[in-house]
């Protein structure tokens, strides 16, 4: 009940203030004085609440007080012209330091996140027609490193993530608003170097640092693409090749030190950076996909070898994204596209064997790999059949019959392998697929096929059915 009436009281105060402004009773200096006075009261009352163990309410009030201080300073500078931009910038920086003091004193990660949000916005809240890119970049970078260092020291993961995201969003916003901010690539590269150095030197892993190394690769690649057309920044494009080479060298160095965790991370980063380089420079989609599939499979292998579930999952995600691109792409007859498919099939088979070798207890994983391999192979032979039929100008009913024949051979192979390997899943899938082919023949092939094609298809299906039935019967006799 008190909260309801407190809200009603607040609405009344706001209306009264609005009337005073409209009637000219509350002048601009009075508005500024009211803003600072209200902020002082909020700071006093918020501090009292925290001391009385009402921490959440107190921290909200302290954060609101600093927000009001920043807005009041903004009004003095932009709306009323009472102070010049340098003074407004210094005052807002002081308010950010004030809320940082509160956050440190009361050990509040949430308030520190507010520090970051307010701090990053300070340059945008200053009306300056001659804003300096150097001052902007230096201020934002200094704030960013300070927040990261504090978050790393206190192990505040939320603050670490938010500081990282806000820094890059701020730089992106400035580059969009300014139109040309290619020089911002320097602090972006510098902060990646700091990330990399701290990761390699730290003795106790801080998960956000490791995770954001991958995001850094993506962000730097975006900046390189953004500045490559700018004057005096042609060198940036060479970083796309230099970066994977550097990371690969660090991976070798960490491997020589027998630092398995660092090696796996450096290797994965090198593969990711190399993938972006290949995407940028390669003009052939087949070659690009082949290299990307090999890189993703390499990450999976390293994950299995060094028992890193995170790398295994990340590798599989990348691998299947690239695989879907290959499968959904219109199949081409060029040799390099054929190679891409063969690389994909061989790698998928290798991943199945890896899963069985390193994690035999996880049957669902390698069974899923087997299903993917079999499905991919079926898609491949179907595409090949269509391409051959198109090249030889087969009629539609002959092409459909050829597809049915290929599918039947595929079903027979699966069934026989199921019996030979004593694998019930393969055997059952093969038998089911035989009936799928039968349904296709009846529904799709028969209406357009000639009498000869119909008789041939049914003879083949009949022979296959008898052979499979015989194999099943023999299997049951042997079991008995």
């Amino acid at each position: 009940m008190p909260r309801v009436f407190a809200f009603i009281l607040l609405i009344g105060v706001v209306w009264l203030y609005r009337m005073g402004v409209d009637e000219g009773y509350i002048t601009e200096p009075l508005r500024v004085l009211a803003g600072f006075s209200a902020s002082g009261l909020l700071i006093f009352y918020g501090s009292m609440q925290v001391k009385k163990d009402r921490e959440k309410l107190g921290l909200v009030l302290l954060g609101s007080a600093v927000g009001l201080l920043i807005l009041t300073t903004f009004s003095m500078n932009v709306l009323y012209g009472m102070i010049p931009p340098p003074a407004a910038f210094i005052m807002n920086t002081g308010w950010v330091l004030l809320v940082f003091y509160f956050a440190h004193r009361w050990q509040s990660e949430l308030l520190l996140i507010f520090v970051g949000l307010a701090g990053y916005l300070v340059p945008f809240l200053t009306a300056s027609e001659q804003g300096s890119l150097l001052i902007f970049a230096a201020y934002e970078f200094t704030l960013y490193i300070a927040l990261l260092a504090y978050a790393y020291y206190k192990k505040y993961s939320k603050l670490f993530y938010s500081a990282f995201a806000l820094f890059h969003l701020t730089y992106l916003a400035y580059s969009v608003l300014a139109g040309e901010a290619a020089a911002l690539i320097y602090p972006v590269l510098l902060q990646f170097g700091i990330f990399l150095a701290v990761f390699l030197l730290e003795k106790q892993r801080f998960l956000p640092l490791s995770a954001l190394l991958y995001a850094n690769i993506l962000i730097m690649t975006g900046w390189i693409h953004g500045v490559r057309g700018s004057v005096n920044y042609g060198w940036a494009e060479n970083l796309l090749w230099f970066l994977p080479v550097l990371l690969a060298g660090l991976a070798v160095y960490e491997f020589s030190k027998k630092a398995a965790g660092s090696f796996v991370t450096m290797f994965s980063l090198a593969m990711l950076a190399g993938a972006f380089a290949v995407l940028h420079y390669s003009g052939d989609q087949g070659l690009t996909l082949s290299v990307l599939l090999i890189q993703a499979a390499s990450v999976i292998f390293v994950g299995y070898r060094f028992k890193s579930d995170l790398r295994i999952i990340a590798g599989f995600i990348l691998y299947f994204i690239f695989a879907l691109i290959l499968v959904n792409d219109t199949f081409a007859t060029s040799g390099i596209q054929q190679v891409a498919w063969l690389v994909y099939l061989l790698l998928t088979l290798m991943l199945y064997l890896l899963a069985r070798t390193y994690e035999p207890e996880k049957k669902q994983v390698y069974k899923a790999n087997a299903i993917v391999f079999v499905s991919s192979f079926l898609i491949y032979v179907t595409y090949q059949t269509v391409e051959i039929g198109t090249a030889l100008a087969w009629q539609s009913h002959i092409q459909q019959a050829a597809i049915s024949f290929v599918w039947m051979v595929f079903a027979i192979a699966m069934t026989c392998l199921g019996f030979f390997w004593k694998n019930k899943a393969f055997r059952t899938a093969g038998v089911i697929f035989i009936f799928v082919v039968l349904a296709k023949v009846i529904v799709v092939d028969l209406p357009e096929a000639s009498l000869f094609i119909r008789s041939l298809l049914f003879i083949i299906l009949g022979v296959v059915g008898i052979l499979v039935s015989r194999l099943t019967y023999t299997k049951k006799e042997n079991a008995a």
Side-chain angles (χ1 to χ4, degrees), residues 217-292:
I217 296 290
L218 177 62
I219 290 169
M220 282 197 303
T221 303
W223 273 99
I224 291 169
H225 278 278
V227 306
R228 59 180 176 169
S230 303
V231 180
N232 300 325
Y233 289 91
W235 56 267
E237 198 167 6
N238 297 326
L239 289 174
L240 290 173
W241 281 119
F242 174 75
L243 192 58
V245 172
L246 171 65
L247 294 169
L250 290 173
V252 172
Y253 175 71
E254 293 299 317
F255 184 79
S256 67
K257 289 170 51 181
K258 298 182 179 179
S262 299
F263 163 72
V264 171
T265 300
M266 291 299 107
F267 181 85
S268 303
L269 288 172
M271 291 298 101
L272 182 61
F276 287 127
V278 170
L279 284 171
H280 177 75
Y281 284 103
S282 178
D284 188 288
Q285 187 174 3
L287 176 61
T288 301
L289 287 173
S290 298
V291 175
L292 294 177

